[in-house]
Amino acid sequence: MLIGKNGEAIKRIGIRAKKLISNFSKVKIYLKLTVFVKKSWKNDEFMVKTDFIY
């Protein structure tokens, strides 16, 4: 799962993205990540078997 246990994976992604964007733009930024959970995602074979991100 992208989120990871206790949100650790999504937190690492956010920290790295913030550093990369800040270094590129040369300004401090605020990055807000939002996670949406599709209802009944566990029953959707496509969502379970692929790395589909939208």
Side-chain angles (χ1 to χ4, degrees):
M1 294 289 118
L2 178 64
I3 297 171
K5 185 176 182 182
N6 296 322
E8 290 299 317
I10 196 78
K11 183 178 179 180
R12 282 193 313 270
I13 291 168
I15 290 169
R16 179 163 177 158
K18 184 177 175 179
K19 285 180 184 178
L20 290 171
I21 295 167
S22 290
N23 290 340
F24 178 76
S25 63
K26 305 294 186 221
V27 294
K28 246 184 166 178
I29 66 158
Y30 169 76
L31 182 64
K32 180 179 178 181
L33 301 176
T34 304
V35 176
F36 294 95
V37 178
K38 181 181 175 189
K39 190 175 184 177
S40 301
W41 68 268
K42 292 180 186 178
N43 299 326
D44 186 337
E45 186 176 337
F46 180 73
M47 295 293 288
V48 173
K49 289 189 175 182
T50 62
D51 294 329
F52 183 70
I53 300 172
Y54 62 97

